Structure formats: structure tokens, C-alpha cells
Amino acid sequence: VLKGVGMKIEGVDVRKISEEYGTPVYAYSMTALRQSIEEIKQLSPVTRYAMKACSNTRILKEMLDHGIKIDAVSVYEVRRAIKAGFRPEDICFTSDVFSNTGDVHFCLEQSIFTNCGTLGMLEEYGCAFESIGRGSPKVSIRINPGEGAGHSKKTNTGGPYSKHGIWYENLNEARDIAKKYNLIISGVHIHIGSGGDMDHLKRITGKLVNFAKEFNDLEVVNFGGGLPYQYDPDLPQEDISRYKSILTERVKVLEDHFGRKIVCEIEPGRRFVAGCGYLIGEVRALNHTFEEDGRRLNYVLGNIGFCHLLRPMAYGAFHPIWIVGDDLGPEQDIIVAGPVCESGDVLTQKDEEPVPRRLPMPKAGDLIVVGGAGAYGFSMSSNYNTQPLIPEVVVDGGQCELTRRRQTLDDILREEIGRS
């Protein structure tokens, strides 16, 4: 990626993308995606993609082409993956509940390997398995180990204040439910959040190994995701290569314990796709300046809002931002905000407060390019303020291709009943 006037995604100038598809628009670098796929594939014999991070069909097909399997967290995600070409046996459905009876029946009928995150979900699976008389008796359980890790409390998925996973002190109850319905707990799983580091992954994988030893029918151990990713391009990217040796050692302990082969799986989401995605928007207005602590702060308002990229408002997440245009002004302290009618609609913030960024002073019509937007970008976008869902394009070398068109007002209104 080249900065400033000539900024490109692979061989395509971002201004060409904006001219052809309008703004805002998501753009994904296939080269960056393939590089991350190859990096992550080396870590584990079985690698799944947590598709909630970015479920665009073009991204899913790239995963499929490289032998990556799927972790889905809703039955519609399961169905979406099947439509993209994945076989049911290559999909694991992880959830805390079945949204309705139809969901559990679908999983049984399609033989979707199901990872139950609560005792109630395990009970429902067993009851349905017993009543309809078909499907696999083999299930996995997600274990809450009593601790969590995340770059925000909202991304912490372990510990006493997390809804996720069967509490580690209740594993006997899980075994009792399985026995009641003739289920086989053949898999165990753990995921305690995104934003940890290698030390936390080493510790938590050790905990899962200890829990796993308690399940005599174990075939699969899934160490979850949570691989670290550094969003700031001025800092070194996190090296995840040593995770392979950690996983190898963990699985060897289990295979020595059981005297048979145990399948090792991981399921990253963010690490796969964060770095391949860019959100391209446009400066629409310059607003007031004010003095704070001896600094002059400037508001730059663009057409990128939290309905397009929620992470900064939801988590105070950092994303790199570049200004692209001719005759840019000198760097100043700039707060980049969006068009949504909410005070929290700010791209540069921390701890729920606007935080200025040193950026070249733009003018209306210049481009705003947000990096690290491939994970939990489009997938968390919304129609708030009746904003349309925006296009997605893929860039492959010097080619740019539309993979999702921009919504129209008719698209937004189509499902409403009784409209004129």
C-alpha cells in the first residue's frame, strides 16, 4: 500500500475504485488474504475460518480453494457456507443456543458437527437426536475455563462474566446429559477472546488439555481463535509462528494420554482477514476547530460512519487512516467523524472519547482510507439512519471486481409490510 496521492491497493489506485464504485466502499486485497491464509495454515493440521469476521462469498471461496474449513456461529452462516461450496462435514456450528427448533433439526439432518456452548444447548441437541432418530450422536462442547482475554471487555469470551461456554466446574453435568441421550462428546473447544498474546494462548491451551483428558471418547480438540493482530502499521506485526510448537506439544500430551491420534484444530477469524480489508470513503466537510491543552483540534467529517464500521465506536478500536488527495495540507491534529446522527460516530477515538490523529489537512472531496477493515467491518454494518449497505470489491493484482453491489432504497424497504 502506497500512501498519499498515489495510494494503491495492490495495483489499483484507490481513486479509481472510488470513481467506479462510489464511496463508501469496502475493498479486499486477495494477495494479502492469501498471505495470511498460508501463514495460518502452517500452525495446525486442521484450520477453520471463523466466518463471522467476513462472510462475503468471494472470501469464503478463497478459503475453500486453500483447504480451510469453516466455523459458523448461526445456522444461516452454515447455510451460507454450503452455498459457497463447503461440504456439511467441513463445517462446525458453534453457538450457545439453537435459535429455534428448526436449527437443531437442520444440524442433525445435515450431520453438521455441533459445538454446544451451554448445558441447555447440549440438552436440546440430545432431546432432538432422541426424538427424530437420525443425525450424529457425536458432539463437541465449548468450555469456559474461568478466565478470559480480550482487547475490550466486549471481546472477552471467558471467565465468570462471559455468557460463553460450559463452566469448567460443570463438566460432570455435561457428561450426564450426554449419557442421558446416548450422545458422544467427541470434541472439546475453548475460546476466551480476541486480543491476547502468545503467553495467554500457551496458558489457555494447557488448561484445555487438562479438561480434555476427562473425556474418554475424545477425537477432536479445538483450541479456538484469538490470534493476535496488530492494527497499527507503525508497530511490528505479531509473530504467530511459535504457536505451532505450542499446539504440537499440547496434542502430543493428549495422544500419549489416550494412546491414539487426536485431531488438532484452530479457528481464527480476525487474523485471516483484518489486514486484507480497506474502507474507502470521502471527506464531505471540515467543521469547527478548537483549542485544547495548547493544541488546535480539527473535525473532518466524511461519509464513513459506524453503520459501515462499528469497531471504533463499539470497542474504541484503532484503525490506520490515510488521507488521499492532491495538494494536501500539513499534518494537524484531526478528529475524523462520520455522517451518522450520533455523537459516538467518530473513527478516531479511545475509551468512548474522540482522540485526534496527526493527519494531513484534507479538503472536501479528498478520500479517507481506513485500513485493517477486513474483519468485523462489513459483517457488522447496518441500515441505521436508512444508510444503504455498501459495495464490496476484491482487488487481485491489477484487477478490481465487484462482489456485492450497493443497496438501494427499494432493497432496504423490500421486506417491510404495508408500505406504499
Side-chain angles (χ1 to χ4, degrees):
V1 177
L2 303 176
K3 300 179 183 180
V5 174
M7 183 174 181
K8 293 184 177 182
I9 299 172
E10 297 195 29
V12 182
D13 194 298
V14 295
R15 288 181 294 189
K16 180 180 178 182
I17 297 173
S18 70
E19 289 166 3
E20 185 166 353
Y21 302 105
T23 61
V25 56
Y26 273 99
Y28 305 112
S29 163
M30 290 296 100
T31 296
L33 177 60
R34 291 172 192 136
Q35 288 171 346
S36 69
I37 289 173
E38 290 306 314
E39 174 193 44
I40 295 169
K41 275 180 62 176
Q42 309 307 314
L43 302 179
S44 176
V46 176
T47 306
R48 298 185 182 275
Y49 169 52
M51 63 178 284
K52 64 177 182 172
C54 181
S55 54
N56 182 278
T57 299
R58 182 66 179 81
I59 300 293
L60 294 181
K61 287 183 180 295
E62 197 69 33
M63 298 292 179
L64 179 65
D65 290 345
H66 286 82
I68 304 298
K69 298 185 179 184
I70 287 294
D71 173 72
V73 294
S74 75
V75 167
Y76 266 28
E77 278 197 349
V78 173
R79 291 175 180 266
R80 188 173 193 153
I82 292 172
K83 283 184 174 291
F86 289 90
R87 302 175 302 170
E89 57 264 38
D90 291 332
I91 302 169
C92 177
F93 171 53
T94 297
S95 188
D96 298 315
V97 296
F98 293 105
S99 294
N100 51 60
T101 302
D103 280 3
V104 63
H105 287 182
F106 177 85
C107 289
L108 285 164
E109 290 162 1
Q110 297 293 320
S111 296
I112 302 296
F113 190 52
T114 300
N115 182 31
C116 300
T118 58
L119 294 172
M121 184 179 177
L122 183 63
E123 179 98 26
E124 185 174 0
Y125 185 94
C127 186
F129 173 71
E130 184 179 67
S131 66
I132 70 174
R134 61 181 181 273
S136 175
K138 293 183 178 181
V139 295
S140 176
I141 59 170
R142 176 175 181 167
I143 299 171
N144 185 327
E147 65 172 285
H151 58 78
S152 161
K153 290 181 180 179
K154 298 172 186 175
T155 63
N156 186 325
T157 58
Y161 296 104
S162 172
K163 67 176 184 175
H164 298 291
I166 296 171
W167 191 248
Y168 70 99
E169 294 177 322
N170 300 138
L171 297 183
N172 281 334
E173 294 179 51
R175 275 187 285 270
D176 290 343
I177 292 170
K179 183 177 181 181
K180 176 181 175 182
Y181 295 107
N182 295 311
L183 298 178
I184 299 169
I185 298 177
S186 65
V188 294
H189 167 276
I190 204 167
H191 175 61
I192 63 170
S194 297
D197 54 28
M198 284 296 115
D199 289 336
H200 116 253
L201 289 171
K202 184 175 182 178
R203 183 180 68 257
I204 209 64
T205 53
K207 278 195 170 186
L208 182 58
V209 165
N210 291 332
F211 297 135
K213 290 178 180 178
E214 302 177 23
F215 294 90
N216 294 329
D217 298 311
L218 186 74
E219 298 175 1
V220 178
V221 57
N222 187 319
F223 293 102
L227 295 180
Y229 178 81
Q230 175 56 255
Y231 282 88
D232 190 338
D234 293 328
L235 297 175
Q237 188 53 263
E238 297 281 354
D239 180 12
I240 59 173
S241 61
R242 69 185 180 98
Y243 195 35
K244 181 177 182 178
S245 62
I246 294 172
L247 295 176
T248 299
E249 189 275 334
R250 297 304 187 221
V251 174
K252 183 180 185 305
V253 170
L254 288 174
E255 291 181 339
D256 289 346
H257 175 81
F258 288 108
R260 62 175 184 272
K261 181 174 177 57
I262 299 296
V263 176
C264 172
E265 297 186 357
I266 58 173
E267 51 177 43
R270 179 176 62 149
R271 181 76 187 210
F272 268 119
V273 293
C276 79
Y278 299 84
L279 177 54
I280 304 169
E282 182 181 325
V283 175
R284 300 301 302 160
L286 307 182
N287 206 11
H288 60 273
T289 64
F290 62 97
E291 295 284 344
E292 181 179 89
D293 299 328
R295 296 187 302 171
R296 180 175 293 278
L297 304 181
N298 307 274
Y299 269 93
V300 169
L301 273 65
N303 59 357
I304 297 173
F306 71 72
C307 53
H308 310 118
L309 181 64
L310 182 62
R311 296 185 75 254
M313 192 187 80
Y315 311 132
F318 176 93
H319 284 266
I321 295 174
W322 297 278
I323 303 295
V324 178
D326 297 316
D327 302 320
L328 297 176
E331 286 192 352
Q332 298 188 40
D333 291 318
I334 293 173
I335 296 170
V336 183
V340 177
C341 189
E342 296 284 347
S343 295
D345 187 33
V346 176
L347 286 172
T348 54
Q349 63 173 285
K350 184 178 181 180
D351 299 328
E352 300 185 359
E353 296 291 339
V355 175
R357 194 86 58 87
R358 293 292 292 181
L359 293 167
M361 178 57 68
K363 58 186 178 302
D366 289 340
L367 296 183
I368 302 168
V369 182
V370 182
Y376 307 104
F378 184 92
S379 65
M380 296 178 76
S381 56
S382 74
N383 288 130
Y384 186 53
N385 285 188
T386 312
Q387 293 271 3
L389 297 181
I390 65 177
E392 294 174 285
V393 302
V394 295
V395 179
D396 201 347
Q399 302 297 314
C400 187
E401 179 184 0
L402 183 69
T403 185
R404 178 192 291 271
R405 64 174 176 82
R406 189 183 306 277
Q407 272 189 331
T408 65
L409 181 59
D410 283 345
D411 293 330
I412 296 173
L413 295 176
R414 184 167 290 121
E415 285 76 33
E416 292 192 17
I417 304 300
R419 64 187 180 91
S420 58

